[in-house]
């Protein structure tokens, strides 16, 4: 049965995306060992489902609609930098949510149980942290140097965006990187 790599996400809006791209460009000379996320792929992941069988995709979309379709639109503010899994072993460089993290986490938590019940999701062991992935660290980094760069840019802000929809997305892996497509848009009606 064909499977589609699927995840549920929030768009960042064009203004935030443009500021992130400008920031990535500024950081490139300072962090040459980072594979930067392409502008069209910047988003906040709510849940990564992995390979979902085609026949279950409609059920996933309906589940998202039923679970969060009545939610009220809310604002997010993207800024602050961090890395996963931790600063001593950085693998992913990210921007956090300074505003809206509670709302995003609540939506994540609301979606978990119904998606677990569908059998289309496995709960992650680590605590959910709403973020936008800026890049993946591809070579060994001097952790002290990285910590200094993160501290230097601690006040950086990408801006605000009003979240009005939740997206069900697919990801097609290609030799040049992932290509994301919107499978379904769930409008927040509140």
């Amino acid at each position: 049965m064909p499977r589609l790599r699927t995840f549920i996400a929030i768009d960042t809006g064009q203004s935030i995306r443009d500021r992130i791209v400008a920031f990535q460009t500024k950081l490139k000379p300072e962090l040459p060992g980072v594979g930067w996320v392409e502008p069209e792929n910047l988003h906040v992941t709510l849940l990564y489902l992995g390979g979902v069988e085609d026949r279950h995709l409609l059920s996933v979309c309906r589940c998202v609609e039923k679970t969060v379709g009545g939610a009220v639109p809310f604002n997010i503010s993207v800024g602050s930098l961090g890395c996963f899994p931790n600063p001593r072993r950085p693998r992913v460089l990210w921007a956090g949510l300074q505003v809206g993290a509670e709302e995003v986490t609540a939506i994540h938590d609301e979606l978990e149980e119904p998606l677990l019940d569908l059998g289309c999701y496995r709960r992650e062991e680590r605590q959910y942290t709403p973020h936008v992935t800026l890049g993946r660290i591809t070579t060994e980094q001097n952790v002290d140097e990285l910590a200094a760069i993160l501290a230097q840019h601690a006040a950086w802000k990408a801006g605000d965006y009003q979240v009005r929809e939740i997206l069900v997305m697919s990801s097609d892996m290609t030799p040049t990187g992932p290509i994301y497509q919107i499978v379904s848009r769930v409008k927040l009606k509140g």
Side-chain angles (χ1 to χ4, degrees), residues 56-75:
H56 295 301
L57 199 53
L58 182 58
S59 296
V60 168
C61 294
R62 286 181 177 154
C63 176
V64 173
E65 170 72 35
K66 181 179 177 185
T67 305
V68 300
V72 176
F74 61 94
N75 292 326

Side-chain angles (χ1 to χ4, degrees), residues 98-166:
Q98 297 171 316
V99 172
E102 289 178 12
E103 291 88 340
V104 172
T105 301
I107 290 172
H108 167 274
D109 294 349
E110 287 175 36
L111 285 168
E112 262 194 330
E113 285 304 319
L115 289 169
L116 284 166
D117 291 345
L118 276 178
C120 296
Y121 175 69
R122 263 181 278 145
R123 183 173 278 132
E124 294 192 30
E125 291 180 25
R126 64 180 181 256
Q127 181 178 348
Y128 175 70
T129 302
H131 68 279
V132 178
T133 298
L134 302 180
R136 287 177 172 62
I137 298 172
T138 56
T139 61
E140 286 296 316
Q141 293 288 315
N142 177 322
V143 293
D144 293 333
E145 188 177 297
L146 178 62
I149 290 168
L150 296 179
Q152 177 186 355
H153 299 289
W156 172 77
K157 292 183 177 30
D160 304 320
Y161 177 72
Q162 185 174 53
V163 176
R164 295 178 182 209
E165 66 183 1
I166 304 299

Side-chain angles (χ1 to χ4, degrees), residues 22-32 36 81 93 149 153:
F23 188 61
Q24 288 172 318
T25 302
K26 181 178 179 177
L27 289 178
K28 280 180 186 179
E30 297 177 59
L31 296 170
W36 299 100
L81 300 177
L93 181 64
I149 290 168
H153 299 289

